[in-house]
Amino acid sequence: MKRNIKRATIENIEKLQAICIKAYSENFAIHWNSNGLELYLESQFNYERLKSELTGDSIKYYFINYENDTVGFIKLNTSKNDVVELEKIYLLPKYKRKGLGKFAFSSIIENQKEKDLKTILLDMVDTNISSIQFH
């Protein structure tokens, strides 16, 4: 099983935007009323916001890859001293329950240990049962 995480850069912003929108939509579309999903997607994953985050110092995105496909993403916020906040970790539903989320999370932990960061916070909605079970 070939799996890895790879840091997103400004050079692959369109790919990042596409997986962010697809993964979020496929997981949470049923939770939104009327055009709420579209408004959320536009506010979180619009080109200018992603560009700003990718070129800044505190936000880092990673692609979650499985075989030859990008199947999810991770968003980290490193703006606090010695703390990393895992803001988002989303997989396309058909790739869940394959250990990819745990693999990606473990990879992030190892990466942060190398940087001598001591704390990783997991940000989740309290009604998201799969995230609560994942943690």
Side-chain angles (χ1 to χ4, degrees):
M1 172 178 14
K2 184 180 172 191
R3 58 190 183 179
N4 65 54
I5 64 168
K6 183 177 179 190
R7 176 99 180 260
T9 65
I10 196 70
E11 288 78 25
N12 44 34
I13 191 171
E14 289 88 4
K15 179 180 177 181
L16 176 64
Q17 186 177 40
I19 192 61
C20 288
I21 290 170
K22 184 172 175 63
Y24 186 88
S25 297
E26 289 187 14
N27 282 286
F28 297 106
I30 62 171
H31 298 284
W32 291 93
N33 296 323
S34 98
N35 69 338
L37 176 62
E38 291 77 19
L39 293 172
Y40 179 81
L41 294 173
E42 176 58 27
S43 74
Q44 295 297 304
F45 306 122
N46 70 69
Y47 186 91
E48 288 305 316
R49 179 174 181 161
L50 289 175
K51 180 180 174 185
S52 174
E53 290 177 337
L54 288 171
T55 57
D57 293 332
S58 61
I59 302 294
K60 294 169 181 52
Y61 282 91
Y62 294 84
F63 295 109
I64 302 171
N65 301 304
Y66 178 70
E67 300 297 332
N68 295 318
D69 297 318
T70 297
V71 301
F73 75 97
I74 294 171
K75 179 182 179 184
L76 298 178
N77 184 337
T78 60
S79 65
K80 300 173 183 99
N81 292 339
D82 298 333
V83 175
V84 174
E85 182 180 5
L86 176 56
E87 285 188 14
K88 297 178 184 340
I89 180 169
Y90 297 130
L91 289 167
L92 297 173
K94 72 179 186 177
Y95 292 98
K96 288 184 173 182
R97 313 229 186 292
K98 296 182 183 300
L100 293 168
K102 288 182 183 178
F103 163 77
F105 187 66
S106 295
S107 297
I108 292 298
I109 289 172
E110 287 305 311
N111 178 277
Q112 298 311 308
K113 280 182 184 177
E114 292 172 11
K115 296 176 182 175
D116 203 31
L117 295 170
K118 306 281 188 237
T119 304
I120 296 179
L121 301 174
L122 177 59
D123 190 14
M124 69 179 90
V125 177
D126 62 359
T127 57
N128 186 342
I129 301 304
S130 62
S131 290
I132 293 167
Q133 291 171 339
F134 166 76
H135 125 275

